[in-house]
Amino acid sequence: MKKDVKRIFVDKDVQVILGTLLRFGVILSMVVVLIGGMVYLNSQGKAIVDYSQFRSEHADLTSIKAIFSGLLSLQGKAIIQFGIVLLIFTPISRVIFSVFGFLLEKDYMYVVIGLIVLSIIIFSLTNKLVG
Amino acid sequence: MVTDVIFVRMSVLVFTIIVLFGAFLAGLLGSLTGLGGGVIIIPLLTLVLGVDIHYAIGASIISVIATSSGSAAAYVKEGITNIRIGMFLEIATTISAIFGAIITIYINPSYIAVMFGLILLFSAVMMLRKKVEHADNDDSGALGRFFKLNGSYPTPEGTVSYAVHNVVGGFVMMFFAGIVSGLLGIGSGALKVLAMDNIMRMPFKVSTTTSNFMMGVTAAASAVVYLHRGQIDPGIVMPVCVGVLTGATVGSKILVKTKPEKLKVLFAVVVAFLAFQMIYNGMLGKL
């Protein structure tokens, strides 16, 4: 019984931290996206849009490396894309944190389950899946 | 294709303002109905603004991450979300979401539009359907016990315990939900809730919040594939995710004050109209 009570407490702490982490990630990435959006509209607001045909080969900013080099030259689009990458990493960091949470609870089955989910995402990050 | 669209030559500024406004409405409607912003922003971008469906899917999946992470933050703190069930089922949804995101480029955009319309219709029906609570504490599933999925959640009448049933069935259904999510760039909440409410027989509150909790990770898995492929265009994603997130936040504030039951029929009509438009234009090969 005593063990049960303890487990609920740890769970509760983990949940509060997870919630804070998610909120912080969303707010931070949205601020970056907004800053990038202003720079982008300021520099390219009068350009004509053309999104009628998807062209994979025309897309830049498709890798972390390209985003960072655009970031250094303060391109609006690269700043937005950086904010988007931060947003994508928000739920991923939530998984990483949950693994630590389960480790603290000594729930090794869920440490393994969390690591499986994480390795699936890391596998997709390797950029070998795009046809 | 371009000639069919109302706005043919638009400046970045005008495009951004229109998408921002539309995405706000999509987020508002999505949060009031519980459908999510993605199912409404994709028809708007493709049917009204003539954006290629692959760009629309990329923008939508990013807005799914933003809204689901934002609302999951609040639910998780209340202790309703079952994190173990979420993590366990994420094995299914992440694999299948990546798979869906890979195959989407090989499928004719017309078929994607038709599939999208059908899922939209299904979501509208699910929204109107009378919900019957199936949850109980009849602890009969060996798998549920083995994976420690049974849980409890706080209610005004005290803590309620529940047991999870048919784990294999739920896992398979989640796999399907993940493919749909990766293929169409939506959260596919309707399918996830179906898996949890009807198959695994979890309480409504737990299934909705847990499905929402899983959505961010599932969407992130396919978003990575979209990003590498160039489907995430900052010029579209910026107004879409800012608009949808703002709309969803306003929607959740309204939701606390009003009971939108009567509005649901109106929403269902709007969603059904969008669904038929997607199917019709898909069949004509216009998308």
Side-chain angles (χ1 to χ4, degrees):
Chain A
M1 194 62 215
K2 205 179 166 199
K3 209 183 156 204
D4 265 12
V5 174
K6 196 183 157 215
R7 203 186 110 181
I8 289 168
F9 273 120
V10 179
D11 261 10
K12 196 78 206 158
D13 288 345
V14 169
Q15 288 178 354
V16 170
I17 298 171
L18 281 185
T20 314
L21 182 80
L22 287 172
R23 178 158 299 160
F24 176 75
V26 172
I27 293 172
L28 178 71
S29 53
M30 281 302 122
V31 169
V32 175
V33 166
L34 276 177
I35 293 171
M38 283 171 200
V39 176
Y40 167 64
L41 287 179
N42 199 30
S43 61
Q44 290 173 56
K46 291 202 177 79
I48 299 296
V49 291
D50 180 21
Y51 294 122
S52 59
Q53 208 74 54
F54 172 61
R55 294 185 201 86
S56 183
E57 63 281 5
H58 284 198
D60 43 3
L61 303 173
T62 59
S63 66
I64 306 284
K65 202 179 146 202
I67 294 169
F68 271 110
S69 68
L71 212 53
L72 288 178
S73 50
L74 292 176
Q75 290 171 25
K77 278 194 160 188
I79 302 172
I80 298 173
Q81 204 76 326
F82 179 65
I84 293 167
V85 169
L86 287 181
L87 187 64
I88 294 176
F89 274 95
T90 298
I92 299 176
S93 62
R94 188 271 283 164
V95 177
I96 298 172
F97 186 82
S98 312
V99 171
F100 282 112
F102 287 125
L103 205 59
L104 284 179
E105 285 180 31
K106 298 194 168 55
D107 186 345
Y108 298 116
M109 183 200 285
Y110 273 85
V111 172
V112 172
I113 289 177
L115 289 176
I116 293 174
V117 173
L118 205 58
S119 43
I120 294 166
I121 295 172
I122 289 170
F123 177 69
S124 89
L125 275 170
T126 55
N127 193 13
K128 295 206 170 67
L129 300 169
V130 179
Chain B
M1 187 192 140
V2 182
T3 48
D4 274 42
V5 170
I6 309 167
F7 308 93
V8 181
R9 286 176 66 81
M10 228 186 307
S11 75
V12 166
L13 190 63
V14 174
F15 178 83
T16 304
I17 291 168
I18 294 173
V19 174
L20 201 59
F21 184 70
F24 176 82
L25 288 179
L28 188 69
L29 196 63
S31 111
L32 288 177
T33 54
L35 292 177
V39 294
I40 299 161
I41 194 70
I42 291 183
L44 176 87
L45 286 173
T46 54
L47 296 172
V48 183
L49 296 171
V51 171
D52 187 295
I53 197 160
H54 295 299
Y55 285 126
I57 288 172
S60 165
I61 204 79
I62 299 298
S63 75
V64 169
I65 302 178
T67 48
S68 70
S69 300
S71 51
Y75 292 139
V76 166
K77 284 185 182 175
E78 286 169 26
I80 303 171
T81 312
N82 189 324
I83 295 180
R84 282 193 175 77
I85 295 184
M87 294 281 279
F88 176 73
L89 294 175
E90 273 164 13
I91 297 177
T93 58
T94 47
I95 294 178
S96 55
I98 293 170
F99 178 69
I102 293 170
I103 60 171
T104 183
I105 201 76
Y106 300 107
I107 297 174
N108 188 330
S110 301
Y111 295 153
I112 296 181
V114 173
M115 267 189 277
F116 188 89
L118 293 175
I119 291 289
L120 211 52
L121 276 181
F122 167 75
S123 307
V125 172
M126 287 286 286
M127 186 175 92
L128 288 180
R129 179 190 68 126
K130 265 227 161 19
K131 284 185 151 193
V132 183
E133 183 88 76
H134 302 288
D136 55 44
N137 201 14
D138 162 30
D139 185 7
S140 52
L143 273 177
R145 236 173 299 138
F146 179 73
F147 285 110
K148 292 177 261 183
L149 301 179
N150 301 336
S152 60
Y153 70 110
T155 66
E157 291 86 40
T159 306
V160 173
S161 296
Y162 55 90
V164 172
H165 307 266
N166 198 352
V167 175
V168 175
F171 199 83
V172 170
M173 188 68 199
M174 280 297 170
F175 201 82
F176 180 65
I179 293 183
V180 171
S181 168
L183 199 60
L184 305 178
I186 57 176
S188 61
L191 288 170
K192 286 186 176 134
V193 169
L194 188 72
M196 293 185 176
D197 274 359
N198 294 49
I199 300 176
M200 301 175 78
R201 285 159 57 194
M202 289 159 59
F204 292 147
K205 270 200 131 174
V206 181
S207 68
T208 0
T209 56
T210 306
S211 132
N212 189 72
F213 178 76
M214 296 167 59
M215 230 172 253
V217 175
T218 311
S222 46
V224 170
V225 179
Y226 293 142
L227 182 79
H228 287 321
R229 193 188 279 139
Q231 274 178 267
I232 312 250
D233 189 288
I236 308 173
V237 178
M238 182 257 297
V240 166
C241 70
V242 171
V244 169
L245 191 64
T246 318
T249 312
V250 173
S252 64
K253 296 267 186 317
I254 299 175
L255 206 56
V256 178
K257 290 179 198 148
T258 55
K259 288 214 186 302
E261 290 306 319
K262 283 178 188 161
L263 286 173
K264 276 202 170 166
V265 179
L266 176 72
F267 290 149
V269 172
V270 174
V271 172
F273 173 75
L274 290 176
F276 283 119
Q277 283 290 318
M278 288 299 281
I279 295 171
Y280 176 73
N281 284 286
M283 282 177 166
L284 292 183
K286 282 186 183 172
L287 287 173

